[in-house]
């Protein structure tokens, strides 16, 4: 059971705490209970009390790390079922299922999915490698996959083959995804020896729970749970029940991230896999395994993931700067708008559709839309003028045509006063009208 502030207070030393200055440490105890400060900030905490409190105040779902170096990723650590209650902590990862026979073909497609969207790199973070009975071929597959630099998921229930694979890729901290009720001893020993996360399977939730209990009894809490692949219905039910049991039922045995293999649920049906993947981005696949991943398949999934796992209190923004579109150069006109990501994508898409070379100037407006930022004073004649003069726009752009959003046409007069050398042009109110407007301009 999670401890409250008063429970923590009973276990904290009654000395003058350097963290809060309170001789009773009540303030510190309440901060810990609220998650505002970590327990190790108290220099007077005994080792026993620290261990007891750390376990009691930890999130009901453990944070598990996979990968190494720049590819290290966190999973789990969640405290709520729904995004509107509190921002989700760890975004899900995508993976592509591969075998020795199709690795080269699939890797070429996976490699092409690598782009930036709103200052975040979008790519396939993990590769799932399926063992098909030939140990030598599997080791060669693992070697080849390890050279890509991506984190590996070793779908292998054979202890001998798993050991051989780990010997060539353990440095990359893969997931050894092959623990079942009948091989607990061998797989747990391998995962412990090589210091990797162990993936656990179960014929049903009862068997999965019992297997996790057995592993925890052996001291292994570095786990990830596989949900059923029997059907979409079973996968959905298990993913939700595992998360609910951990967060609402306080069952820490199920307090681990999950793997959802939609490639196994709907083999050969990419449309169904796409639909299932989008569902499990929300409900609750920490790793979602696809059969393939092309740029066209990745774009909607990654866009959705970014929306779901972004703090709703912090609007998504793009970097304020000049974005040349359609081969624009210094002689092309300038279109000014705000840094709100949705505004950027709407405006840039319509400008690109027009085919007219144009420099899209994104100003720092605090992540608000055009009208909201104008009302808040963040998108004004002053801020636009300051951006043009202080960021080198005047030196980089010889064209003196500045196009402003139609919804803030009121800025035209003041901009003409502040920028007398520029021709201020008012664009239409809606982005969809930009194609016709730019062609006529």
């Amino acid at each position: 059971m999670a401890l409250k502030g008063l429970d923590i207070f009973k276990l904290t030393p009654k000395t003058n705490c350097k963290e809060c200055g309170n001789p009773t440490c009540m303030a510190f105890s309440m901060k810990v209970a609220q998650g505002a400060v970590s327990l190790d900030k108290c220099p007077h905490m005994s080792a026993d009390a620290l261990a007891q409190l750390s376990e009691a105040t930890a999130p009901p779902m453990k944070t598990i790390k996979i990968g190494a170096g720049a590819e290290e990723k966190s999973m789990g650590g969640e405290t709520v079922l729904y995004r509107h209650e509190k921002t989700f902590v760890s975004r899900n990862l995508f993976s592509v299922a591969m075998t020795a026979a199709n690795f080269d073909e699939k890797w070429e497609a996976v490699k092409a999915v690598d782009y930036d969207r709103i200052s975040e790199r979008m790519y396939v973070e993990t590769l799932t490698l399926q063992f098909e009975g030939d140990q030598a071929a599997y080791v060669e597959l693992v070697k080849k996959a390890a050279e890509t630099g991506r984190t590996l998921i070793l779908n292998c229930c054979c202890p001998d083959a798993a050991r051989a694979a780990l010997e060539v890729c353990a440095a990359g901290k893969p997931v050894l995804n092959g623990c079942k009720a009948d091989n607990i001893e061998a797989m747990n020993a391998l995962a412990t020896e090589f210091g990797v996360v162990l993936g656990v399977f179960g014929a049903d939730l009862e068997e999965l729970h019992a297997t996790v209990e057995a592993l925890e009894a052996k001291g292994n809490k570095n786990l990830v749970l596989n949900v059923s692949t029997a059907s979409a219905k079973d996968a959905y039910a298990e993913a939700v029940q595992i998360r609910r049991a951990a967060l609402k039922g306080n069952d820490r045995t199920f307090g681990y991230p999950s793997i959802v293999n939609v490639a196994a649920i709907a083999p050969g049906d990419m449309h169904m896999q796409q639909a299932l993947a989008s569902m499990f981005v929300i409900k609750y696949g920490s790793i979602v395994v696809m059969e393939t991943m092309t740029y066209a398949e990745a774009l909607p999934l990654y866009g959705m993931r970014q929306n779901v796992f972004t703090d709703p209190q912090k609007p998504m923004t793009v970097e304020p700067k000049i974005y040349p579109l359609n081969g624009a150069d210094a002689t092309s006109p300038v279109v000014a708008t705000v840094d709100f990501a949705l505004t950027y994508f709407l405006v840039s898409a319509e400008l690109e559709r027009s085919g007219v070379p144009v420099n899209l100037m994104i100003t720092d407006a605090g992540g608000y839309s055009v009208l909201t930022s104008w009302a808040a004073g963040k998108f004004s004649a002053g801020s636009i003028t300051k951006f043009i003069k202080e960021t080198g726009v005047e030196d980089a752009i010889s064209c003196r045509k500045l196009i402003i959003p139609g919804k803030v046409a009121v800025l035209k007069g003041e901009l003409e006063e502040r920028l007398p050398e520029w021709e201020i042009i008012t664009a239409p109110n809606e982005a969809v009208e930009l194609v016709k407007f730019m062609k006529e301009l």
Side-chain angles (χ1 to χ4, degrees):
M1 180 180 294
L3 299 185
K4 298 181 180 179
L6 290 177
D7 300 316
I8 296 171
F9 168 64
K10 293 174 184 176
L11 290 170
T12 52
K14 306 304 183 289
T15 58
N16 186 27
C17 183
K18 296 178 182 178
E19 178 67 23
C20 63
N22 190 330
T24 64
C25 278
M26 175 61 80
F28 179 77
S29 302
M30 297 307 294
K31 285 182 180 179
V32 171
Q34 296 165 3
V37 67
S38 61
L39 283 165
D40 56 12
K41 292 292 184 182
C42 179
H44 309 294
M45 189 77 68
S46 69
D48 290 341
L50 184 61
Q52 182 179 349
L53 287 170
S54 294
E55 178 70 20
T57 59
M61 176 173 285
K62 279 183 67 67
T63 299
I64 301 296
K65 294 183 181 296
I66 64 172
E71 288 296 315
E72 183 180 84
K73 300 289 188 297
S74 294
M75 304 184 297
E78 305 296 348
T79 58
V80 294
L81 285 172
Y82 306 109
R83 177 177 178 264
H84 66 261
E85 295 179 278
K86 184 180 178 181
T87 306
F88 287 155
V89 176
S90 301
R91 67 190 59 214
N92 68 282
L93 308 176
F94 287 107
S95 188
V96 170
M98 298 177 167
T99 64
N102 61 30
F103 176 83
D104 292 334
E105 178 186 353
K106 288 192 176 184
W107 171 242
E108 288 303 313
V110 167
K111 193 166 53 172
V113 180
D114 197 339
Y115 62 96
D116 288 330
R117 183 179 189 269
I118 316 179
S119 303
E120 181 184 338
R121 184 186 176 197
M122 305 291 186
Y123 69 111
V124 179
E125 296 93 349
T126 71
L127 306 179
T128 297
L129 308 179
Q130 184 63 47
F131 176 62
E132 296 182 308
D134 186 332
Q135 181 173 316
Y138 192 61
V139 171
E140 290 304 311
L141 169 64
V142 172
K143 285 181 181 178
K144 191 182 294 186
E147 292 174 357
T148 68
R150 307 293 169 91
T151 301
L152 307 183
I153 300 174
L154 306 178
N155 269 15
C156 179
C157 298
C158 172
D160 291 339
R163 171 175 288 280
L166 285 170
E167 287 175 350
V168 300
C169 72
K173 296 299 177 184
V175 177
L176 175 56
N177 196 36
C179 183
K180 297 183 177 181
D182 59 357
N183 65 3
I184 293 176
E185 293 290 343
M187 285 299 179
N188 180 62
L190 282 174
T192 302
E193 177 184 346
F194 288 95
V196 298
V197 174
L198 183 61
V200 187
F201 292 87
D204 51 35
L205 285 180
E206 288 74 17
E207 183 178 292
L208 182 64
H209 195 278
T211 304
V212 173
E213 282 185 320
L215 289 166
E216 289 184 330
K218 297 179 181 298
N220 191 347
K221 295 186 177 182
N222 198 23
L223 310 173
V224 60
L225 313 183
N226 287 267
V227 304
S228 173
T229 57
S231 69
K233 177 182 177 181
D234 291 339
Y236 181 85
E238 289 194 5
V240 172
Q241 288 180 62
I242 288 170
R243 176 72 68 96
R244 182 171 289 277
L247 301 188
K248 297 298 183 182
N250 203 34
D251 183 355
R252 291 179 182 262
T253 302
F254 270 165
Y256 295 96
S258 61
I259 295 178
V260 183
N261 192 337
V262 301
I265 297 172
D269 189 342
M270 288 311 301
H271 295 296
M272 178 58 74
Q273 289 185 34
Q274 189 88 351
L276 292 174
S278 66
M279 178 175 70
F280 285 111
V281 166
I282 305 171
K283 302 280 188 182
Y284 296 101
S286 301
I287 299 176
V288 178
V289 184
M290 306 280 289
E291 195 169 341
T292 64
M293 182 71 85
T294 64
Y295 187 88
E297 293 159 350
L299 195 60
L301 286 176
Y302 288 175
M304 177 184 180
R305 181 181 71 175
Q306 191 171 49
N307 288 336
V308 170
F309 287 89
T310 299
D311 187 345
Q313 302 300 319
K314 296 179 181 178
M316 290 188 290
T317 61
V318 295
E319 182 184 357
K321 65 177 185 179
I322 291 287
Y323 292 83
L325 303 178
N326 301 325
D329 56 24
T331 64
S332 304
V334 177
V335 174
T337 193
V338 295
D339 59 348
F340 181 41
L342 180 58
T343 299
Y344 166 79
F345 285 118
L346 287 172
V347 172
S348 63
E350 296 301 326
L351 290 174
E352 288 179 339
R353 199 159 65 90
S354 75
V356 177
V358 61
N359 292 296
L360 180 57
M361 184 177 78
I362 301 298
T363 63
D364 184 357
Y368 296 125
S369 63
V370 171
L371 281 179
T372 305
S373 58
W374 169 73
K378 293 181 177 291
F379 187 56
S380 62
S383 66
I384 294 173
T385 301
K386 181 179 179 181
F387 188 87
I388 288 175
K389 292 187 176 296
E390 293 186 1
T391 60
V393 173
E394 281 190 318
D395 296 331
I397 308 295
S398 59
C399 179
R400 288 297 181 259
K401 292 182 183 293
L402 176 62
I403 303 168
I404 62 174
K407 289 185 178 180
V408 289
V410 67
L411 299 178
K412 186 175 188 297
E414 189 176 351
L415 280 169
E416 288 174 337
E417 292 180 5
R418 292 173 176 264
L419 299 168
E421 297 180 358
W422 288 75
E423 178 186 356
I424 311 301
I425 303 170
T426 303
N429 285 343
E430 303 299 334
V432 72
E433 301 174 43
L434 282 173
V435 175
K436 181 175 181 291
F437 171 79
M438 292 304 299
K439 288 181 177 179
E440 293 177 349
L441 180 68

